[in-house]
């Protein structure tokens, strides 16, 4: 009798143990499936972002970028490929919002955030430049810089700045923008200049007085000392201007 009772208790214990194992197994399988779907969606979003950023970076001559995606929250199941759109599709840099949309089995929309950094070697001042200083090659260097939050334009080649002058003091290490520099004034107001006047194949030179200062390519007012007439002429070099009859 005791033996039969023992066998029954043992059998019931096996049933309870099996049920407990099964009850713990199914939720684990469901969680694993949800986790896998979420991981696949996150991977797809990262891939989508990388394609957009890579395209933009290449358009400005860079292959150097970094993407940080905020972890996705819990998303409903989707039976189709989730549609992904960017808040800044033309210039995907800085802080971005990625919108996710699904239409099947029911419509839902979700958003996540990302931060994108794109780097370029930009021209900076190697040493502090004083106001109105003529810029030389040794005054400049290149620095790896994130362009995502730059509010001004920049230079990527030191050669574009050689011979220009600083409008104001530029601190060492500062990224140089076009507004910080200007072409040197080759002609100063009230300075005597040589006027080169052309008519067809004929060229004449005469003296004049500059009534305005100007850099190369600027059109300024000049007084012709031969005729005492005021004319417009284009600055071509140091104390030299050109006009046509």
């Amino acid at each position: 009798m005791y033996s039969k009772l023992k066998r029954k208790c043992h059998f019931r214990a096996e049933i309870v143990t099996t049920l407990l194992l099964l009850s713990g197994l199914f939720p684990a399988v469901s969680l694993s499936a949800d986790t896998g779907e979420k991981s696949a969606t996150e991977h797809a979003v990262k891939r989508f972002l990388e394609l957009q950023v890579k395209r933009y970076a290449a358009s400005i001559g860079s292959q150097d970028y970094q993407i940080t995606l905020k972890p996705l929250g819990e998303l409903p199941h989707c039976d189709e490929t989730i549609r992904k759109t960017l808040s800044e599709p033309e210039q995907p840099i800085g802080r971005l919002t990625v919108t996710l949309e699904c239409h099947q089995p029911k419509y839902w929309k979700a958003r996540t955030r990302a931060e994108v950094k794109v780097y370029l070697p930009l021209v900076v001042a190697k040493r502090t430049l004083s106001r109105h200083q003529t810029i030389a090659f040794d005054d400049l260097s290149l620095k790896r810089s994130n362009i995502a939050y730059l509010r001004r334009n920049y230079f990527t080649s030191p050669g574009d700045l050689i011979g220009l002058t600083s409008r104001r003091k530029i601190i060492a290490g500062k990224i140089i923008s076009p507004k910080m520099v200007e072409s040197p004034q080759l002609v100063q107001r009230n300075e005597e200049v040589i006027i080169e006047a052309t008519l067809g194949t004929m060229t004449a030179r005469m003296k004049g007085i500059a009534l305005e200062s100007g850099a190369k390519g600027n059109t300024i007012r000049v007084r012709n000392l031969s005729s005492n007439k005021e004319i417009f002429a284009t600055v071509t070099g140091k104390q030299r201007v050109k006009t046509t009859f």
Side-chain angles (χ1 to χ4, degrees):
M1 180 72 178
Y2 173 76
S3 178
K4 288 182 179 180
L5 181 61
K6 185 178 180 180
R7 283 199 299 271
K8 286 182 180 179
C9 290
H10 182 70
F11 178 70
R12 288 174 182 173
E14 286 183 347
I15 292 175
V16 171
T17 302
T18 303
L19 289 173
L20 287 173
L21 287 173
L22 289 174
S23 64
L25 176 62
F26 287 111
V29 172
S30 177
L31 178 62
S32 177
D34 291 344
T35 303
E37 186 172 344
K38 179 180 176 182
S39 177
T41 301
E42 194 165 284
H43 178 77
V45 173
K46 287 181 179 179
R47 179 59 180 161
F48 166 75
L49 267 174
E50 185 173 2
L51 289 173
Q52 304 303 311
V53 174
K54 185 177 181 180
R55 171 191 55 77
Y56 172 74
S59 73
I60 61 171
S62 174
Q63 297 180 342
D64 187 3
Y65 54 85
Q66 180 182 330
I67 301 170
T68 303
L69 178 66
K70 185 178 179 180
L72 296 179
E74 293 300 324
L75 298 175
H77 175 70
C78 186
D79 288 340
E80 60 183 10
T81 301
I82 297 175
R83 183 181 302 174
K84 297 168 281 291
T85 55
L86 273 177
S87 56
E88 298 290 339
E90 297 302 319
Q91 196 172 7
I93 55 175
R95 294 182 181 89
L96 303 173
T97 299
V98 185
T99 300
L100 310 177
E101 277 186 275
C102 177
H103 292 266
Q104 294 294 334
K106 62 180 180 179
Y107 178 79
W108 56 261
K109 179 187 287 189
R111 291 181 177 87
T112 188
R113 296 191 178 278
E115 182 171 4
V116 175
K117 298 177 182 179
V118 175
Y119 296 92
L120 277 173
L122 302 185
V123 181
V124 300
K126 185 186 293 186
R127 55 180 67 88
T128 298
L129 306 177
S130 59
R131 186 182 181 191
H132 298 318
Q133 178 177 334
T134 300
I135 299 173
F137 184 81
D138 290 341
D139 296 323
L140 310 171
S141 62
L142 292 172
K143 178 182 178 182
R144 180 177 181 259
S145 306
N146 175 23
I147 67 167
Y149 303 108
L150 291 182
R151 296 182 179 179
R152 297 179 177 178
N153 290 328
Y154 45 77
F155 294 94
T156 57
S157 171
D160 294 335
L161 287 159
I162 307 304
L164 300 184
T165 58
S166 52
R167 289 178 179 268
R168 56 180 176 80
K169 184 177 181 180
I170 302 175
I171 304 300
K174 186 78 172 179
I175 296 172
I176 301 176
S177 73
K179 289 187 177 181
M180 296 179 184
V181 296
E182 61 185 355
S183 297
Q185 300 289 299
L186 299 178
V187 172
Q188 301 296 329
R189 184 182 178 187
N190 296 326
E191 184 177 53
E192 186 175 290
V193 296
I194 299 297
I195 304 171
E196 184 179 276
T198 59
L199 177 61
T201 58
M202 295 178 57
T203 300
R205 292 178 178 84
M206 60 211 75
K207 292 183 178 180
I209 296 294
L211 302 179
E212 297 175 294
S213 299
K216 187 174 183 178
N218 290 163
T219 299
I220 62 172
R221 292 181 298 114
V222 178
R223 185 176 301 282
N224 186 336
L225 293 180
S226 300
S227 63
N228 205 36
K229 289 183 178 181
E230 184 179 309
I231 63 172
F232 286 96
T234 302
V235 178
T236 58
K238 183 68 173 176
Q239 298 176 319
R240 301 185 75 85
V241 298
K242 186 175 182 179
T243 189
T244 56
F245 289 114

